[in-house]
Amino acid sequence: MNKSTFLFKLKESVEKISHEKLKYAIMQIAEDINNDKYEDILKLFKELGLTDIEIVEDEEDELDEEGSLVNDTIELCKAIENGEYYFQYIDEEEFDDNDDYDDDDYYDDYRSDDLPLDEEDYTLEDRDDLGPEIEGFLEDAISYVVQYKRYEEAYKTFDLLFNVKIRVDGYDDIDISTLFSERLIDEITLEDTCLYYAYSAIMFLRGLDRCENLYRIMTKTYSEIKFQDIMKIMDFAIPEEEEFKHEWIEFLLKQDVERSEDIIIDSVKFFGGIEALEDFAKKYGAKYPKSYLDLISIYKSEKKLDFAVKSAEDGLANIKGQNSNKTKMAEMLYEIGKDVNDSNAIKIGTMEAFKSTLDLNHFMDLYKLNDKEIIKEMTKYMGEFPIKQSYKFDDSYIHFLNGDYELIYDMCKEDKDHLSWSWSHSFKEHMIPLFTALLAKTNPINPCIVNFIKYNFQYNNRFEEFIKLLASSFEEISEADHKKYMSYCLSEAEYSVKKIVGGQDRYNYDKISALIVSLAEVMLLSGNYESAINYIKLNKDKYPKHRSFHNALLKDIKLAGINMNFYKL
């Protein structure tokens, strides 16, 4: 019988008894509670004639004598450490094709110290079925937690099994977490096992020892165990709960932030709810920024959007420097600002998201604010506080949208790589397509040039949005600059045609074709139809037998809408 059932039956009984008898009963109850003799308490009521409660014994499996599970586990661990269980990494395909799979000599012949264990074909062979044996011990320990409430034995059993080192022929020792990952223990999961391991630690240990070991257990799995998940399987109150709450939070505050952040925030919410989380964020939010993210998410789910905005703004003000959580916070503020039509929240969210990333993705949101002063301020910030961006040339795309053409032109000239669209992608491979759009200066940008820009663009989900922004961003350029930029693009195209088409780099025919036709478009839009046709003809005639290149040109000519008879050129 567990405490919950006992307390319910006790309450029923106490309501029926007199004061005198109650005095005697309370003294006896206190002694029996101290010894966990719940059935004896109910028998006492019946003997005294205080109640007609029917005592039904729990239907429990017969338990071994106290300590036997721990002793058996100790013996198993000794056998494991003495090498009585044989493990080896094998290639499944090799053994599937070999007739001597069960032959010991074949295992010895096959042994290798150089197996590439990161390849999926290699698996851990448990020749003596230790996995199922350990699994049985773990299941017994779980039953000791759930059914019998023998927490000390359960904890010691878990602790022995999780700390034993298992030998593997030719390799470093492993522990039982590997048996889980290799599915040599497959009836229970590592996560569920650790939940009961943690539960036994909470119920058996006390003080700092309880905190240290609980934290060790909670961080054993790839996805950290949440405190609320442990509590879901608990049917008793935590022993010395108030002391534990204080000890637990104080302990977590001293641990590595990266490992403990989720656990401490989860614990704060569990013990104190959203009010405790608010206090925690005010006090420790700069160190644990996810506390603000949780607050924002909770308020958003509860439709308390004003509170969500306030929490986001507080978080952004308190967290210094670049931080991925700060970026998420700013993005959440931006989205909530749009939902409630709060222009200030939108502006702050957009600016802070850009400041924490300095990438093109967030600059596009910034650009859409249509505020030249903000753009000027953020561009200045980008120069004063440079950080590593997600994509190498984001700052160059940003400068181009800002109309800093001469800056980009000079950087292109400094780039000694030529257009080859190799895997390393040179700077000019990103910027020359933008120059072709600037030289053509159409709104919307013509399809062939759009396609040319798209080859290198990194944010595919926002490409159409970028193209619209680009078309609206074009600044007036002088005739001299137009001629200079065009001349530069033509010279780069000439060299790259030789390298790509002359070198029969068929993989990049579509890209060099897009450049040629894009430049022909510029000539056509400048009123030089004959020059445009002749330019395409010139490049076609250089390589009369390269049909794949011709097909790429023809495709782009049609895409650009250039009226010409390609085959009669």
Side-chain angles (χ1 to χ4, degrees):
M1 177 181 297
N2 61 39
K3 282 186 180 178
S4 298
T5 304
F6 160 68
L7 292 172
F8 175 76
K9 290 180 178 286
L10 182 63
K11 182 176 182 296
E12 285 187 331
S13 301
V14 169
E15 290 174 351
K16 301 177 182 179
I17 62 180
S18 67
H19 290 294
E20 287 301 316
K21 290 182 178 179
L22 181 60
K23 292 177 183 178
Y24 168 77
I26 286 174
M27 295 301 295
Q28 187 63 43
I29 287 169
E31 183 179 347
D32 288 340
I33 285 177
N34 189 51
N35 296 311
D36 289 338
K37 295 180 178 179
Y38 308 129
E39 285 83 357
D40 288 353
I41 295 170
L42 295 175
K43 286 178 183 177
L44 170 65
F45 283 111
K46 190 169 184 178
E47 289 169 2
L48 294 173
L50 303 177
T51 179
D52 57 356
I53 225 172
E54 182 180 354
I55 302 170
V56 180
E57 297 292 337
D58 286 346
E59 295 181 4
E60 297 182 350
D61 296 332
E62 186 177 346
L63 272 177
D64 295 330
E65 63 184 36
E66 188 171 346
S68 63
L69 177 60
V70 176
N71 291 332
D72 290 345
T73 307
I74 290 172
E75 292 303 312
L76 175 64
C77 290
K78 286 180 180 177
I80 294 170
E81 290 174 342
N82 289 334
E84 296 179 24
Y85 293 88
Y86 189 83
F87 282 84
Q88 185 179 36
Y89 280 103
I90 64 167
D91 183 338
E92 285 185 324
E93 293 183 1
E94 290 281 348
F95 282 108
D96 286 344
D97 296 337
N98 194 286
D99 294 334
D100 298 324
Y101 180 82
D102 295 321
D103 186 73
D104 289 341
D105 291 335
Y106 182 75
Y107 272 91
D108 295 335
D109 293 339
Y110 187 77
R111 175 176 175 174
S112 168
D113 292 338
D114 299 313
L115 288 179
L117 298 186
D118 57 334
E119 292 188 9
E120 293 182 359
D121 290 340
Y122 289 91
T123 58
L124 187 63
E125 177 75 359
D126 178 3
R127 295 194 67 196
D128 299 309
D129 291 329
L130 177 62
E133 193 167 348
I134 288 179
E135 188 168 3
F137 277 82
L138 292 173
E139 288 174 338
D140 285 345
I142 290 172
S143 71
Y144 269 47
V145 172
V146 177
Q147 191 171 358
Y148 305 122
K149 318 304 177 190
R150 288 165 66 164
Y151 305 115
E152 180 178 359
E153 289 177 81
Y155 175 79
K156 290 179 178 179
T157 300
F158 285 127
D159 218 40
L160 285 163
L161 293 173
F162 271 92
N163 286 288
V164 71
K165 295 300 180 184
I166 303 168
R167 296 184 186 179
V168 179
D169 189 33
Y171 295 95
D172 293 338
D173 294 344
I174 60 172
D175 58 26
I176 68 170
S177 62
T178 304
L179 302 186
F180 279 101
S181 63
E182 291 283 340
R183 299 186 183 280
L184 297 176
I185 297 176
D186 58 5
E187 293 298 322
I188 51 178
T189 66
L190 176 61
E191 288 75 13
D192 284 346
T193 304
C194 285
L195 280 176
Y196 292 102
Y197 188 7
Y199 185 179
S200 67
I202 291 172
M203 300 302 291
F204 166 57
L205 301 173
R206 297 292 183 274
L208 182 60
D209 193 32
R210 173 161 56 176
C211 296
E212 289 176 342
N213 284 281
L214 178 59
Y215 182 68
R216 173 177 57 85
I217 297 164
M218 291 178 74
T219 54
K220 273 187 176 294
T221 59
Y222 292 112
S223 56
E224 290 174 342
I225 293 172
K226 300 294 185 184
F227 199 84
Q228 59 185 8
D229 293 333
I230 302 172
M231 301 308 294
K232 284 177 183 177
I233 62 173
M234 295 185 75
D235 53 4
F236 293 161
I238 296 173
E240 302 174 9
E241 184 169 339
E242 289 304 316
E243 293 89 338
F244 172 67
K245 289 178 187 178
H246 175 75
E247 292 166 348
W248 180 235
I249 299 300
E250 288 299 312
F251 171 81
L252 291 175
L253 286 170
K254 298 174 184 177
Q255 307 311 307
D256 175 69
V257 173
E258 189 173 343
R259 294 190 72 198
S260 66
E261 185 171 19
D262 289 335
I263 296 175
I264 193 169
I265 292 171
D266 175 69
S267 299
V268 168
K269 285 191 297 184
F270 182 83
F271 286 125
I274 192 168
E275 293 82 6
L277 185 59
E278 285 177 338
D279 293 339
F280 181 84
K282 289 176 183 176
K283 191 172 182 180
Y284 300 108
K287 185 177 179 181
Y288 300 95
K290 286 185 180 179
S291 59
Y292 284 113
L293 290 176
D294 270 33
L295 272 178
I296 298 165
S297 296
I298 292 170
Y299 284 136
K300 188 175 179 182
S301 67
E302 294 178 351
K303 307 299 182 186
K304 297 178 179 178
L305 299 184
D306 289 345
F307 287 92
V309 168
K310 179 67 167 57
S311 297
E313 290 177 345
D314 288 346
L316 291 170
N318 290 337
I319 300 169
K320 307 303 179 185
Q322 278 73 39
N323 183 291
S324 61
N325 291 308
K326 189 174 183 180
T327 305
K328 292 176 186 175
M329 206 176 302
E331 290 172 342
M332 293 174 78
L333 178 59
Y334 172 75
E335 293 299 329
I336 296 169
K338 289 199 301 183
D339 290 341
V340 298
N341 197 26
D342 184 335
S343 59
N344 189 59
I346 292 171
K347 183 176 75 172
I348 294 173
T350 306
M351 292 173 64
E352 292 297 334
F354 176 71
K355 286 166 69 176
S356 66
T357 60
L358 300 185
D359 64 16
L360 176 62
N361 186 46
H362 292 96
F363 185 80
M364 284 193 277
D365 294 328
L366 200 66
Y367 197 87
K368 289 190 295 184
L369 293 178
N370 198 28
D371 188 321
K372 291 183 178 180
E373 288 302 314
I374 289 178
I375 295 293
K376 183 178 178 181
E377 180 186 345
M378 292 298 99
T379 306
K380 182 181 178 183
Y381 183 92
M382 186 171 65
E384 292 175 349
F385 301 97
I387 61 173
K388 187 176 180 180
Q389 298 164 314
S390 301
Y391 296 112
K392 188 175 181 181
F393 303 119
D394 271 17
D395 56 346
S396 301
Y397 280 96
I398 291 170
H399 282 301
F400 204 96
L401 282 176
N402 280 335
D404 301 325
Y405 308 131
E406 199 64 17
L407 171 66
I408 301 300
Y409 172 70
D410 289 340
M411 292 172 69
C412 281
K413 289 177 67 179
E414 291 173 6
D415 182 5
K416 301 305 179 185
D417 292 330
H418 287 279
L419 299 172
S420 62
W421 287 277
S422 62
W423 291 112
S424 60
H425 295 306
S426 73
F427 171 74
K428 62 183 62 173
E429 286 168 6
H430 286 261
M431 295 297 107
I432 285 179
L434 302 185
F435 272 111
T436 63
L438 172 65
L439 293 168
K441 205 173 183 181
T442 60
N443 190 358
I445 298 172
N446 290 351
C448 181
I449 296 178
V450 167
N451 210 38
F452 186 31
I453 296 170
K454 192 173 185 178
Y455 283 126
N456 285 319
F457 194 75
Q458 303 287 359
Y459 302 94
N460 291 332
N461 62 319
R462 300 191 70 179
F463 179 70
E464 297 301 326
E465 189 177 350
F466 171 76
I467 286 297
K468 290 178 181 178
L469 291 177
L470 179 64
S472 65
S473 74
F474 293 140
E475 302 283 347
E476 290 292 333
I477 58 174
S478 67
E479 187 176 336
D481 282 342
H482 191 285
K483 184 177 180 180
K484 179 174 65 175
Y485 299 153
M486 184 67 174
S487 176
Y488 174 74
C489 291
L490 288 168
S491 66
E492 286 293 328
E494 181 180 2
Y495 179 90
S496 299
V497 169
K498 291 177 184 177
K499 185 177 178 67
I500 294 172
V501 185
Q504 296 190 38
D505 180 10
R506 286 183 171 82
Y507 184 77
N508 287 310
Y509 279 1
D510 53 351
K511 300 178 184 68
I512 193 60
S513 168
L515 174 56
I516 292 167
V517 177
S518 293
L519 292 174
E521 276 192 88
V522 174
M523 297 174 194
L524 191 64
L525 291 166
S526 299
N528 297 319
Y529 176 81
E530 188 175 342
S531 296
I533 302 303
N534 287 339
Y535 181 64
I536 294 173
K537 182 178 185 303
L538 174 67
N539 284 285
K540 176 191 174 188
D541 290 347
K542 285 180 183 177
Y543 304 98
K545 296 181 179 180
H546 288 57
R547 291 187 178 275
S548 296
F549 175 53
H550 292 177
N551 289 337
L553 284 173
L554 182 59
K555 176 179 69 70
D556 285 323
I557 289 167
K558 290 180 179 178
L559 187 62
I562 298 176
N563 184 19
M564 60 179 290
N565 191 328
F566 180 77
Y567 295 107
K568 290 185 177 181
L569 287 181

